[in-house]
Amino acid sequence: MNSLLDRPVPTAAATLTLRRGAARVLIDNWTGASTVPSRTLYPHQWSWDSAFIAIGLRHLSVRRAQQELESLLAGQWADGRIPHILFNPALPHDAYFPSPDFWQSSNAGRAAGAPSAPETSGIVQPPVHALAAWLVHQADVGESRRRGFLARVYPRLAAWHDYLLTRRDLGGGGLAAVVHPWEPGMDNSPCWDRPLQRVTPTPPDAFQRADLDHGHPADRPTDLDYGRYVRLATDYREAGYDDREARHGFAVEDPCFNALLIVSELALAGMAQDLGATAAPHATRAEELTHRLVTRLWDDTAGLFRARDLGSDALVDERSVTGLIPLIVPHLPPDVVRRLRETLDGPHFSAPATRLVPSYDLTGHAFDPKRYWRGPAWFNTAWLIHRGLSTHGLKEGADRLRQGVLAEAGRSEFAEYVDPTTGAARGTRHFSWTAALTLDLLCADPKELTP
């Protein structure tokens, strides 16, 4: 893999330095079968992290990008879910909390189809995997076909989507619901504050957090929030991770989660066609999901999508980056695209110190420029919005955001996220998806953005 750093590329010296730095992060965080998000704070394999990592790895090694996704799918449950963490058995349990002995997947999840090994969590993360697999396939179609990559991953990814659209249609409106704040990936967003108020927290002396060993308390969720996270995960485990039996204290339809499901359905359509099957069911499902997304979650007055709290069946009155990411959906109504662009460029999301997009409304009551998902600007959400802008032909905005990602990634040493008010690097450094998505924006073929 070291030879990857020495491949000649026709680019300016600064760009080559950035490319080498990003490649080095991914090499250093490779474990032999997959890539950890961070050697310190996140020492196992995370679900949507691996999807983003594969998108970048395809520019270095298509084989390794395929392996990244195949490693993740090895932990898929029989009911179709892809768990949000696959645990490395070589690490001690106190390397991360909640640990394998908390989730007890092979025992508590047996009836739901959890594998006997590896041990996993019982919850999920956003379904960006099919999009990642399709991009990896397109990076070297010949290699993909020689290895039968699509033939292996397509049925697994189709089962994953089936799980989300059957077991997780908790609101009856045809969208997938999340049942834990960790599932939409934006763990500590103010969007979850009101739904979480119904959850009785586990006392802080009943568990030992590991994230504070590597992250500053001012950056991380509070003990009260963590207590609610633990309570929800405990209740789900005690219900055998069965969505039909569990009494979900938290259930939300998230815009980003469902937008990625739509885009990934379109990726499954491409896979099906490549494999000689019919693409129509996936294309039809994507069209139906787009209609439901707009009908159930669009707020035209605010100019963005809102999360829907299924406990009250009401839209959550918070402006978050999750409401902008549906720009990635290719067949949105033109008025929705126009309003999203206006919101993106308006006072709520135009950060003063970076061209990235803050994770929460800069003028919002809960804005915190340092605390996890309550204001900081993230690189994966910027990549998704960049892809959305490009999809809709909004080249000027896409180019500006691309330049922002490249500038901030290099300056911050591939930080997990940055403070949107100062540009200061926050969270852990040498973060894998930051490096991977930087590589993608340096190298990706614009033709891939064509719907």
Side-chain angles (χ1 to χ4, degrees), residues 11 38 95 97 283 289 407:
T11 185
S38 158
F97 178 83
L289 283 167

PDB file of all heavy atoms in Angstrom, residues 11 38 95 97 283 289 407:
ATOM      1  N   THR A  11      -0.778  17.129 -10.951  1.00  0.00           N
ATOM      2  CA  THR A  11      -1.439  18.095 -10.086  1.00  0.00           C
ATOM      3  C   THR A  11      -0.417  19.035  -9.484  1.00  0.00           C
ATOM      4  O   THR A  11       0.798  18.766  -9.487  1.00  0.00           O
ATOM      5  CB  THR A  11      -2.215  17.356  -8.980  1.00  0.00           C
ATOM      6  OG1 THR A  11      -2.947  18.308  -8.204  1.00  0.00           O
ATOM      7  CG2 THR A  11      -1.289  16.578  -8.076  1.00  0.00           C
ATOM      8  N   SER A  38     -10.899   6.352  13.807  1.00  0.00           N
ATOM      9  CA  SER A  38      -9.822   6.998  14.548  1.00  0.00           C
ATOM     10  C   SER A  38      -9.148   5.938  15.406  1.00  0.00           C
ATOM     11  O   SER A  38      -9.821   5.079  15.978  1.00  0.00           O
ATOM     12  CB  SER A  38     -10.385   8.117  15.437  1.00  0.00           C
ATOM     13  OG  SER A  38      -9.518   8.427  16.500  1.00  0.00           O
ATOM     14  N   ALA A  95     -12.144  -0.368  25.698  1.00  0.00           N
ATOM     15  CA  ALA A  95     -11.623   0.521  24.657  1.00  0.00           C
ATOM     16  C   ALA A  95     -12.703   1.449  24.131  1.00  0.00           C
ATOM     17  O   ALA A  95     -12.402   2.516  23.591  1.00  0.00           O
ATOM     18  CB  ALA A  95     -11.023  -0.297  23.510  1.00  0.00           C
ATOM     19  N   PHE A  97     -17.149   2.486  24.872  1.00  0.00           N
ATOM     20  CA  PHE A  97     -18.436   2.230  25.507  1.00  0.00           C
ATOM     21  C   PHE A  97     -19.529   2.883  24.669  1.00  0.00           C
ATOM     22  O   PHE A  97     -19.371   4.013  24.214  1.00  0.00           O
ATOM     23  CB  PHE A  97     -18.493   2.806  26.935  1.00  0.00           C
ATOM     24  CG  PHE A  97     -19.838   2.591  27.574  1.00  0.00           C
ATOM     25  CD1 PHE A  97     -20.140   1.383  28.185  1.00  0.00           C
ATOM     26  CD2 PHE A  97     -20.818   3.573  27.524  1.00  0.00           C
ATOM     27  CE1 PHE A  97     -21.394   1.168  28.737  1.00  0.00           C
ATOM     28  CE2 PHE A  97     -22.071   3.365  28.073  1.00  0.00           C
ATOM     29  CZ  PHE A  97     -22.351   2.155  28.679  1.00  0.00           C
ATOM     30  N   ALA A 283     -36.110   1.810  -8.878  1.00  0.00           N
ATOM     31  CA  ALA A 283     -36.409   3.157  -9.372  1.00  0.00           C
ATOM     32  C   ALA A 283     -37.785   3.611  -8.899  1.00  0.00           C
ATOM     33  O   ALA A 283     -37.972   4.776  -8.507  1.00  0.00           O
ATOM     34  CB  ALA A 283     -36.325   3.183 -10.898  1.00  0.00           C
ATOM     35  N   LEU A 289     -40.430   7.083  -2.433  1.00  0.00           N
ATOM     36  CA  LEU A 289     -39.798   7.629  -1.235  1.00  0.00           C
ATOM     37  C   LEU A 289     -39.584   9.132  -1.361  1.00  0.00           C
ATOM     38  O   LEU A 289     -39.732   9.874  -0.378  1.00  0.00           O
ATOM     39  CB  LEU A 289     -38.456   6.929  -0.987  1.00  0.00           C
ATOM     40  CG  LEU A 289     -38.530   5.531  -0.385  1.00  0.00           C
ATOM     41  CD1 LEU A 289     -37.169   4.833  -0.481  1.00  0.00           C
ATOM     42  CD2 LEU A 289     -38.972   5.606   1.078  1.00  0.00           C
ATOM     43  N   ALA A 407      -9.575  22.969   1.639  1.00  0.00           N
ATOM     44  CA  ALA A 407      -8.798  23.900   2.455  1.00  0.00           C
ATOM     45  C   ALA A 407      -8.839  23.520   3.929  1.00  0.00           C
ATOM     46  O   ALA A 407      -7.800  23.476   4.607  1.00  0.00           O
ATOM     47  CB  ALA A 407      -9.317  25.324   2.259  1.00  0.00           C
TER      48      ALA A 407
END
